[in-house]
Amino acid sequence: MKNIRRIAAGMLAAAAVLTPVAAHADTPYAQASAEVDMDGSLIEGSHVTDVWHPYRGVYCVAVDESVDFTGATAIHVTPIGEYAAPRSLSVELNPTAACGQNRLDTIAVYSQVGFRVRADSAFYLTVS
């Protein structure tokens, strides 16, 4: 019986270590980060000046002047929550139609469930 308890305790400890870090974790090496709700509202962000939701499955995230897109930049977006169908997210820098043609400070985030079927989604965004 003691062995079973030890094994169970070890498995719980391993699960705790392997569990992802909390949602509101700091991103110290990111130039900007944002947590955006399904309706396009900014829940939490760093170096983000504005977020808007012009169409279903399209989000626009504007960053401040401290974010540098001229060098090598990594933009990562991750969906938040559970949905009936899996979400596929993609980003576009300096978007043309959805977020404004001359907005060099804006990242467009596109969410879809199937081939070109847009769907709303909450997400985390980081710019490194």
Side-chain angles (χ1 to χ4, degrees):
M1 192 65 157
K2 286 185 178 181
N3 286 337
I4 293 174
R5 287 184 185 165
R6 286 182 187 159
I7 292 171
M11 291 175 67
L12 285 174
V17 169
L18 296 175
T19 302
V21 179
H24 298 288
D26 291 330
T27 53
Y29 299 107
Q31 293 187 61
S33 63
E35 180 180 356
V36 179
D37 203 1
M38 277 177 84
D39 64 0
S41 60
L42 180 65
I43 297 170
E44 190 172 343
S46 173
H47 300 284
V48 173
T49 58
D50 196 12
V51 177
W52 65 98
H53 181 45
Y55 312 109
R56 173 192 281 176
V58 178
Y59 300 86
C60 303
V61 180
V63 296
D64 66 23
E65 66 278 350
S66 68
V67 179
D68 180 19
F69 291 126
T70 58
T73 305
I75 302 172
H76 183 80
V77 64
T78 305
I80 303 171
E82 296 181 21
Y83 304 98
R87 299 297 197 252
S88 170
L89 298 175
S90 61
V91 296
E92 180 182 14
L93 208 67
N94 307 328
T96 55
C99 300
Q101 292 192 309
N102 296 322
R103 299 287 309 253
L104 301 178
D105 64 340
T106 305
I107 302 164
V109 177
Y110 301 101
S111 172
Q112 57 190 36
V113 291
F115 184 69
R116 296 186 182 209
V117 178
R118 301 254 188 238
D120 291 337
S121 175
F123 60 89
Y124 295 116
L125 174 96
T126 56
V127 179
S128 300

